[in-house]
């Protein structure tokens, strides 16, 4: 299990290949990649703040919950912080399992929890100033699925 | 006790962390103490629905006791992923 | 939208990176990769037969259904046929959307339909002979989710 | 009409495709004709629950009419993905 909180960019394709190569017994690998979206071309950058002392432990706790609930061969979580350009990768998760439905559910679970329970805060820097991204009610509601 | 602020709480209060001497028995009591200090604290803590707290780096609730706690962090709802 | 039915191996990581780079407006990319699983070390190869005249059209129909049901920036499907070694990639799907839940659901939908409605048949070649992989009741039942 | 067989149907019948002259009105009637031919057909078509059919490369049902159909394909449940 690799859980990384890092400022540096990463190569999602290389991570996916390394992850898949290491899970010989698994038939199913699901990945999620989150990118800095620039809907209308006005975004200059996204700044991600986090709580260094807590982040790694919070992610490890979420990953451990996923491994308790589903039979997973392996789990990968990478989450960046700092200043990111539009189009850049923010984070990725990957899950491996014998069965596709477990891999899908576990990856969706990880994303729902990382979104609302890992101590990251996003700020969008636009031409007209900066705005903290507001948490959505639907993201909190998504946790009730599990 | 170390008190940490993140995201717009940090910006409104104007500092990322500070040492606070307090005998507040709960998180809520600590918030009331801080709000009474200065307007910037009152503003930062004006919307309790948008406030989250971690005690010693574990998510907790506003009515949690502070006995034995060394680090309190206040922040808005998280927006990771 | 790229839909490929091919005998040749492919590089899932390179495909994921190319896909993500082409979907600038999307914030969420989900991928699924299916691998030849060798649970007990007795599998020598997997042979995948398909129905050449029908396969491409069936996949295009499934992808079109996904695009009707969810708001997707793009869809990728690659499915191999022929003889594959243990650990080899069988297939992948990727979906891109503004929102993670649409990307997850569409990818799971594509997999459920590719599994039971695209004309592929798997045969496992072991030391003691060859066995056609049996369709599972649970795979047929999975279609009822949608 | 072209009749195609895949996977274990192909193996049991011993060929991947053949030309069949028939006036069978439905898929089911065609199956009965084929079963009456030889044991290998009777064996291949013995379990109708495990039989799928495509007419002109579209999934169909065993009671579908054959009028105008040029290509019939028989195969077991698919196992893609």
């Amino acid at each position: 299990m690799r859980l990384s909180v890092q400022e540096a960019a990463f190569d999602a394709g290389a991570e996916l290949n390394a992850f898949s190569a290491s899970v010989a017994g698994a038939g199913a690998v699901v990945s999620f990649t989150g990118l800095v979206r620039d809907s209308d071309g006005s975004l200059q950058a996204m700044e991600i703040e986090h709580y260094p002392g807590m982040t790694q432990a919070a992610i490890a706790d979420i990953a451990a919950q996923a491994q308790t609930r589903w039979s997973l061969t392996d789990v990968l979580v990478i989450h960046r912080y700092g200043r990111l350009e539009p189009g850049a990768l923010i984070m990725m998760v990957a899950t491996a399992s014998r069965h596709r439905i477990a891999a899908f559910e576990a990856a969706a679970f990880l994303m729902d929890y990382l979104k609302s329970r890992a101590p990251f805060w996003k700020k969008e820097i636009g031409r007209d100033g900066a705005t903290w991204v507001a948490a959505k009610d639907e993201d909190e509601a998504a946790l009730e699925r599990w | 006790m170390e008190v940490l602020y993140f995201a717009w709480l940090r910006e409104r209060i104007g500092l990322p962390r500070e040492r606070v001497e307090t005998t507040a028995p709960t998180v809520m009591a600590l918030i009331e103490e801080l709000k009474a200090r200065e307007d910037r604290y009152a503003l930062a803590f004006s919307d309790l629905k948008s406030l989250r707290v971690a005690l010693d780096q574990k998510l907790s609730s506003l009515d949690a006791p502070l006995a034995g706690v060394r680090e309190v962090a206040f922040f808005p709802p998280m927006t990771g992923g």
Side-chain angles (χ1 to χ4, degrees), chain A residues 49 51 53 120 122-123 132, chain B residues 7 10-11 57 71 76 79 81:
Chain A
E49 182 172 336
Y51 181 177
F120 292 99
K122 294 194 185 109
K123 190 181 196 176
W132 289 99
Chain B
R10 173 179 54 70
E11 290 181 340
Q57 307 181 351
E71 184 173 299
T79 54

Side-chain angles (χ1 to χ4, degrees), chain A residues 2 4-12 15 50 78-84 88-92:
Chain A
R2 184 158 110 73
S4 174
V5 180
Q6 61 187 56
E7 188 159 10
F10 63 93
D11 180 332
E15 294 287 347
H50 78 122
I78 302 171
H79 203 304
R80 295 179 66 191
Y81 58 88
R83 188 179 174 92
L84 280 68
L89 297 183
I90 301 170
M91 51 81 64
M92 83 179 281

Side-chain angles (χ1 to χ4, degrees), chain A residues 18-93:
Chain A
F19 184 76
S20 297
S22 72
V23 291
V29 172
V30 169
S31 81
F32 177 93
T33 322
L35 300 111
V36 179
R37 190 173 66 204
D38 180 19
S39 313
D40 57 1
S42 69
L43 186 75
Q44 296 188 321
M46 175 174 278
E47 281 178 10
I48 301 180
E49 182 172 336
H50 78 122
Y51 181 177
M54 179 177 165
T55 317
Q56 185 82 22
I59 291 176
D61 179 59
I62 293 166
Q65 285 183 52
Q67 289 198 302
T68 303
R69 296 183 58 139
W70 290 276
S71 177
L72 301 176
T73 316
D74 204 1
V75 171
L76 169 71
V77 178
I78 302 171
H79 203 304
R80 295 179 66 191
Y81 58 88
R83 188 179 174 92
L84 280 68
E85 308 296 312
L89 297 183
I90 301 170
M91 51 81 64
M92 83 179 281
V93 305

